[in-house]
Structures are given as structure tokens and as C-alpha cells.
Amino acid sequence: MVVSPSLELSEVPSPHRARRPIPARRRTWWCAALAAVTVLLGIAIPFAPVTASDPVVTWPQAGRSPVPTALPLSPPRPLSLEAAVPCAALRAVGTGDALRTVPAAADPEGGLTIAAGGGRISVLANGSQVFAEPVPAGACAYRVAVTAAGLEVSRDGRELTQVPGVLVPEVSVLSTAAAGLAESAGLGVTLHTDDRYNSTPTGLKTALLLAHLAALVATLVLARRIWGRVRVPRLRPRPVDLVVAAVAASWVLLGPMGYDDAWYALMSRNAAESGYLGNYVYMFNVTENPFVLSQYLMQFWGGLGEFSLWWLRLLPLAYGLLTWVFLRVFLEMALGRASRHRWVPWALGLAFLSWWLPYGMSLRPEPLILCLTAATMLLAELARRRESVPAAAAATLVAALGLSCSPSGLVAWAPLVPALPWLWRWLRDRSWTSRAAAGLTLVAAGTALVPVGFADATFGDVVEATKVHRWYYASFAWFEEWRHVESLMTGPWALRLPVLMTLGVGLLVALGRGRRTAPGTIRCLMLSSAAITVLAMALLALSPTKWVVHFGVVAAPAIVLLTTALLRSPLPRTTGVVASIAATGVLIAVAAAGFSGPNIWKPFSDRGQSFGNHLPPAPSKIELTMTAPHVGDVFLHDAKLWVGLALAIAGFGLWRRRRHLGVLLRPERGVLLAIALLLVAGMVAVFGYAPFRQAPGWTVARGGVEQVTSGTGGLADHVQVLADADVQPPEPAEPAVLGGDFATTAPLPVPPAAPGAVWHSNTVPATGGGSLTTGWYPVPATGDATHVTVPVLGERLSAHRLSVQADTPTGVVDLPLDREAAPGPNGPLGPDDALGARHWQELAVPLPRPVRAVRVVVEQRGPWLAVGQPRLTKLRPVTTVTDGRVVFADQLSAVLWPDVEQAPVADGITTPPAVRLSADEHIDAGVLSNSTFTDWGGNFATSTQTATAVRMISVLPGGPETPPWGNVDRVLYAAEPLRVDVEHRFQDRAGWTRLPTLAGEDYIGREYTG
């Protein structure tokens, strides 16, 4: 065979010839096209239609007559309501309410009332009468329908009146005075609850999501083929890695709890019930979208195990260890050969723990944002060094995921800013095709936020949710950043120090900035990390909330900045003595301000903590000062201590200089090193020692150890309550002796705390005086009771004289139920005036032995009160009360009650809990009442309108005395909850649709506070 010399070898026909590669220019066009499609799909997804939940509630239940029922809605106004009231029912009622949607004692301006009186019907909506007429004779029926368009009243299909602009009335109960009457047949209510955020993607939206994912992946893969992949440097293990991992792992058990840990766990836990991630505590369970990534991960992780504190803490532990790896690789890459010095990883470890120990072990989004910010720093540095578009795209994608965690996740974008100069140079030197492809690729990578934030939500949902958040929550503008500083300087010492250290070092870097800095040096990294930290702080200022916990998001660049300052002084070597003294003074001020903070860690982590007296409910300034870290009489915030240290370091440096040995440590760096060492060592010491100091009492650490070793450890395994003993006394032979206001025969307006007799002085007119002496209740000779418990209810209970009298062989003994009584299982057994007149309180006295009988003696000295008959009680596990019942464990303690049946908020309905578990520890009442505070849209506010609570005596036994751990309340309802039928319907809704807003003064009367 003769081959033509002009024929190239690659052109020889062959059945096995490889495919011809796509020309580079065509690949670039393909990349640009795919990126553009990705962006367009990302824009379309929020506006795509969804299948939304539309629950329909009907009352009474099918085949039953109307009976009052508690129906607490959240949001409290349904989307529509239709009530049917037969004329026969109105005539049978005579004078009364044929239908009410809120209790008569609740705010009358929020509900619907259809009342009868004098042969007339009156319809009141939101406190205003909208219709009235005489009830006609004969068979007829009224229909009242309220929608977003307004209210309409009709009779037998004939419209009687129409009132536009009327808000759909609130609903917390459905009750009628016609209950039990034959004429109530036909009376009923049908309403559509407001479950607007519970939706699933339609087929179209699902296709868009899948197409977006495919286009994004294809874009990144093609970008990698066009511009090449970038290898991440390998990390060489060092001993410091083991130390950091060990300390971080120990923090799963030892680390302090945060105020919001249980809050975020509750939101993730309830998502399985509600169908979306909403704010379980307040703001009417409004969706958290698009800031949901960390909660999605928590929901998944909790579903694999449980929603206990210690299991969920494995998530921030993983985020922290990943952050450590990212920063280690980043430092080795940024410093090059200088990173091989043995002290570099140790300095990074010290800086990392200085930030991570106070802020890292949190169930809030900040640990994940920190991890993603560190990854963004690493990828952005790779992109800058290699001028790599794929690395820049990966960094943009990770930063977008950071923003999907929280508004403060905007900080994750800060490391991208220093990459802009090289990207500008790169684009300037490329063709328009490459510029378009690279730019669109970066924008497409940023759309990674969309499938996370909008897969389970629409544009309309997010706009409305943002408005609701701003209306009901305390939001601050960027120029109110001083609020951050205010919250920082009122917090514990360890939360202050890393932020103040970073600010102090940043100030010194700015003052000592040189004109020329060689790349790849510690000085260069110091300047760049300082710039990123400043930018991160500025971006944090844009966050609408200003609490100290948010500072954790800036930790990634701050850790690098502190690392460089620990390795080298922030001031140039040529700095004069005056500048060095000033720099040292700045860091001394940092130490004094930081260590002056109290060593108080609420909730639940203050048990066993050192320094000062932690028991006062409202410590004075002096008492608070004494809780600052100190050794003996030496307080770490004493400036003289730090001045002495600086002088010692300066003197040692002068001694070495005179001997031509070189200065190992300058004063400013020595002070910074001492602050960081004391911060880390102090945190490990106080939290490591606290469980031993509190032993054998319960602590978070002890609970974690028990959880690991035996599967127990939560509060349910330790809290005890005074509950009924096995044997109760028989009824007394003689009746109670009543005097004054106690002689009333009027019924008590709330349910009794327990079975048995109840006496009260709630009468009109009231004299403010009365007396009660019950009969003698025989005490069985054999029994296991240890206390006599008496339920009381009323206003200003401490003004009355309450006592139990015991008939003993030596005579009658008077046992006062007041604050001077001998401490019992929960401290002094006195009434709490702050609970109000719808909250029973069980007071108790130790049962003397031997004893023949007991009775209750009350002398009224003020407003009315109610008293239940005495019960014989003993300490029992709290599970006696919680097992088999729907429970609400509050937003401070829920992660310590992982096994209770948490009351769900779903279908626009709050399931009324039978037991409420809440923290105490003298925490501000406003914090404890978040879930029931009407002005903040508390999801359990409507259920409290029909509820009466019973405060039980509870104790968390063992160990030295602590502030009260918390409270156990049984919850009673005048009307049996949820005796309704719920039909789950669904309807398609466009992504831009917005339903009637929940934000506005008209909705629940809350004014906008900004």
C-alpha cells in the first residue's frame, strides 16, 4: 500500500480513531451558553408555581353536635371563615353568644361573635358590630362569610349586608351557648387555616430545579476543562492537629449552651411536622427561607439520631474541624516555605481555639458560615495565585451557600473582594468570548443559593416573610452597629476577648502599615487578612440583628489575622519606643476590658462555674464584678498585672539585646500571646472544672457523658416533681368553714388544678376580706407521702396568710405556706405574684411525722384567691407528668428534653400542650415568654387564651445550690382541644403570588418598631 506523502497520519481512516476534540473557542461558547441558562433558570425558580397546602377545618366534627373546643390558630387569622347559625339556635340561646371564635375574657377586638338578645341577632367582627336585625320567625339560617375581600352576611341565600375591608377574625376557640341543645343542629364553622408556607414544587418547578442543577454542574465541569483544574496543596499532619481535634471534641460535652441552641433545634424538629422550616417560637411560624441551609442539615442530622444537645453538637464539631483543615491548608499555601516553621501551626491552633471555644459550639448558623468562609478564603487564594477561573467559581459557589445560612452569611463574600484585581487583569487580557464565559460562570456559581433558599419556597413567600421579620422582630440598620458593641460588652469575658483582640490587632496593623511588603511573607498575610476582617465586620453591620453571637461569622479571617500577629508583631521592626508603648497599651486595654466580663453562662451552663456568687437573681455591680476571672485576690482585668508583664518582657528583650542574642518577643506580641493563652486555658479550666465543682449535681457535661455511656442524661432523667402519693386522705367528716368573700356560691371561672373541692373568694362586690378553714383530712398511718401540697390561685397571693395545720400527738402545728417557710425541694415554698390570676401554684410543706390529720387555713388580706383541697405528695420523676402527653419544652431548654412529644405547629394550627417545660435561672421574663408574647406573634399565644396552668414544685437535685433550674406546668383547658375535622386540600399557586400580609398594625395591633 502506498500512502500519499500529503496525507497526515491523523487523517488515515480507522474504525478506532478517537473523537476529534471540541475546539477551545467552541467550548468557551458552550460554557457561556450553559452559564447563561443556569442564571436564567436560577431567576425562574423563585417564580415557578408550587402546590400549596390548604387545610380546611370544620366544626363540629362529622356526626356530632357542637361542643366548645380550643382551636389555637397560628397565624391567628384564617384565610377565610364561614359560619352557619340556625335561627332556632339563636332563639334557643335567648341572650348569649351563639358563636364565638375567641374567649369572652380575651381581647374582644380580634374575633367573631354572633350574639342573640332581645329577639335580635348581632354580628361583631374584630370588636365592631357589622350587622344586626330581629330574628325572623320560622325556620331559617344565617351565614357569615369572611374572606380577604371582606365580610358578607346572608340569610337563606339572600345577601343582607356586605362590608369590604374587614379582616378575617382571629380564632382560638369555637364555642356556643347552644351546646347540648337540640336547636344547635346545623350550627357550624368552616375555615381555611393560614398554612401558606407549606408547599411542594410542582412538576414544572421540579424540572427547573433539576435543569438548574444539571446546567450548573455542566458549567463548572466545562469551565474546568477550558481553564484547567487547580490542585489543592496536601496537608501534612502535625501534633497540633491532634491537640485541636481533642479540645474541639471535648467541647461537645463541656462547651457552654447558647440562648438560641434549642430555638434552632425546635425549628428543625418541627419542620417534619409543618412541611417547611418556620420560626417555631414566634412570628406565626413564618418561613425562614432563604436562610435555611444550616437548619436543613440539622433537620437531616436530628432525623438520623435525635434532637438532643449532644447529638446535634456533632454538626458544629464537624464544621469546626473542617474549618481547621481549611485554615491549615490556607496558611501553608499563603506562607509557602515560612509555613514549615514549627511554631506556625501552633500559633494557628491558639488563634483558632481563641475564637472557636467561645463561639464555635453553637447550634446557630454561625459555625457553618465560619466553615464556608474558611473554604471561600482557601479557594479565593487558590484562584488568585493560579489566576484560575474554576477556583474563583468554586469560591463564589461556597460563598453563596454561606449566604443561604443567614443574613450574616454575607460575610462569606468578603474573601472574594481581594481577588477582584487579578480577575480584572485576567479579563482585560482575554477575548470577549472568554470574558463572557468567565463572567457568566461566576454569576452562575452564585446561583447555588437559589435551590437551597427557594426549592421549598417562592418569591412571594420570601418577600412576605422578610416583611414579617422586620415588623415583629427587633431589627437594626447598619448605622446602629454600636448595638453589636453594646451586646458584646455586656456578655461574658470569653465572648468579649476574641473580638477585642481582633480589633486591637487590626488597629495596630493599620498604624504600623508599611509601604512595601513582600508577597508570601507573614507581614503580607497580616495585611490581607486584616483587610478581609475589616470588610467582614462591615458586612456584618448590614445584618438586621445586632447580638453578640453574630460575631462568630467573622472568625475565619480574624483567626488568620491573630495567627500572624502571634508569629510577628503587627508593628514594623523599625518602630520606635513610643509607638511600641502605645501598641502595648492598646493590648493592655484589650485585656482589661475583656477579662472584666462576668463568668456567667446561661442557660444551664452556669452550674458549677467558678468566681463569685452566681445565685442572686439580679446581682449588683459589685457582685457582677466579683464573677470576673481571678486567682485569689488577683483579677485578670487588673491593668497593673499586664503592665508588669509588658515591662518584664521588655526587660528580658533588653537583656538579650545587650548580649547580642536577639529579641525573642516584643512587649505587644508578648501581651497578645498571654491574652490568647489565658483565654484558651481559662475556658478549658472553668468548663472542665465546673462538672466536678457541681458534683453530684447535674450539668450539661454530666448529661453528655450519660448520653454517651447509657443513652440517658437529659433533664427528663434528673428533674423530679412533687406529685400525688399513692395513698390520699379520705374526705373530712366536717365541712369547711367559710367567711367573708369565701362564702360566695359563684362558680370559679377557671378549671380546678386537681380533682376535689375548690374554694374561692372571687365575688362581686368584693370586700377584700375572707377566711377559709377546711375540715380535717385524715392522714393514713401508712403511706409514702413526704409533703402536703395545696394549689392556690389569685392576685397578689403573697399578701394573704396561707398555712397548713397538722394534728400531731403533741398538738396542732401551724405550717405557714409563705416565703419564710423552711426550704423544701425547690427552695422557699412561697407564691409567685408574677404568675397572674390564671396560673395555679402548688405550694407545699413537709409532712410532719407522726401526724393524724391536716387542714388548710387561709386569711384573705387583699384581692381574691382560690384554694384547692390539700393533697399528699412525694417527689417523683418528671416523666410521671410528661410521658404520653403533648409537651412544649421552651426555646431555651428543648434540646435537653429530646424524648418528649413536642407540641407541633402545623397546618396553621398550634397543638395545645398538656405540659409546659421552661427554663428559669432568673432569666429575663421577656425571654422566657417569647412563645406566648402576642406582640411578637408567639405561636402559643392563642393557646394561652383558653388555658389555665398549674405550676408544680420541681427540683433538679444534687450538688451545691444553684438558681432555680426551671419550671414544670400542667396545662388545663376549659374546652377540650381540637375537636374538629381537618381536611388536607392543596392548590397550585404562582411563585409571585402574595397572600394577605401578616405584617401590619391591624393584624394583631402591634405597632412597627423598626
Side-chain angles (χ1 to χ4, degrees), residues 112-178:
L112 173 69
T113 302
I114 302 177
R120 295 174 62 85
I121 179 176
S122 298
V123 179
L124 293 88
N126 303 320
S128 300
Q129 181 172 294
V130 293
F131 177 77
E133 73 168 13
V135 178
C140 60
Y142 286 90
R143 172 183 171 272
V144 179
V146 195
T147 65
L151 179 144
E152 177 186 296
V153 180
S154 61
R155 185 181 67 245
D156 297 335
R158 184 170 67 89
E159 182 181 307
L160 301 177
T161 188
Q162 194 171 48
V163 185
V166 175
L167 290 175
V168 180
E170 295 180 16
V171 176
S172 61
V173 66
L174 296 174
S175 63
T176 176

Side-chain angles (χ1 to χ4, degrees), residues 129 282 425 473 521 955 999:
Q129 181 172 294
Y282 58 26
R425 292 193 304 270
Y473 192 61
T521 62
V955 60

Side-chain angles (χ1 to χ4, degrees), residues 214-368:
L216 178 59
V217 171
T219 299
L220 297 178
V221 170
L222 196 53
R224 178 176 173 273
R225 291 191 62 185
I226 295 171
W227 294 293
R229 67 177 184 175
V230 178
R231 295 183 180 275
V232 179
R234 292 184 178 181
L235 187 65
R236 292 178 297 174
R238 298 285 185 89
V240 67
D241 298 321
L242 184 61
V243 173
V244 168
V247 174
S250 71
W251 228 234
V252 172
L253 303 178
L254 299 177
M257 280 186 63
Y259 275 88
D260 292 342
D261 283 354
W263 195 314
Y264 278 82
L266 282 172
M267 290 193 286
S268 299
R269 182 176 183 172
N270 191 65
E273 300 284 347
S274 65
Y276 67 97
L277 273 165
N279 195 316
Y280 175 84
V281 179
Y282 58 26
M283 290 187 282
F284 308 126
N285 204 31
V286 66
T287 183
E288 291 289 289
N289 292 80
F291 309 113
V292 289
L293 177 59
S294 66
Q295 294 169 68
Y296 279 152
L297 295 175
M298 189 181 298
Q299 181 187 5
F300 170 77
W301 184 249
L304 291 180
E306 61 179 4
F307 285 90
S308 72
L309 174 69
W310 306 280
W311 174 257
L312 295 179
R313 275 185 168 184
L314 295 179
L315 277 177
L317 173 63
Y319 303 151
L321 295 179
L322 282 173
T323 302
W324 168 251
V325 171
F326 294 149
L327 292 178
R328 282 269 281 117
V329 176
F330 172 82
L331 209 64
E332 288 205 6
M333 182 172 54
L335 294 180
R337 292 184 178 180
S339 66
R340 299 176 186 175
H341 193 283
R342 59 178 180 175
W343 292 118
V344 170
W346 289 102
L348 178 63
L350 183 58
F352 174 80
L353 292 176
S354 296
W355 267 97
W356 198 81
L357 292 181
Y359 288 98
M361 190 53 74
S362 169
L363 300 185
R364 287 178 52 85
E366 282 78 15
L368 179 56

Side-chain angles (χ1 to χ4, degrees), residues 201-213:
T202 59
L204 174 59
K205 184 165 185 176
T206 301
L208 290 175
L209 287 166
L210 294 175
H212 176 270
L213 177 62

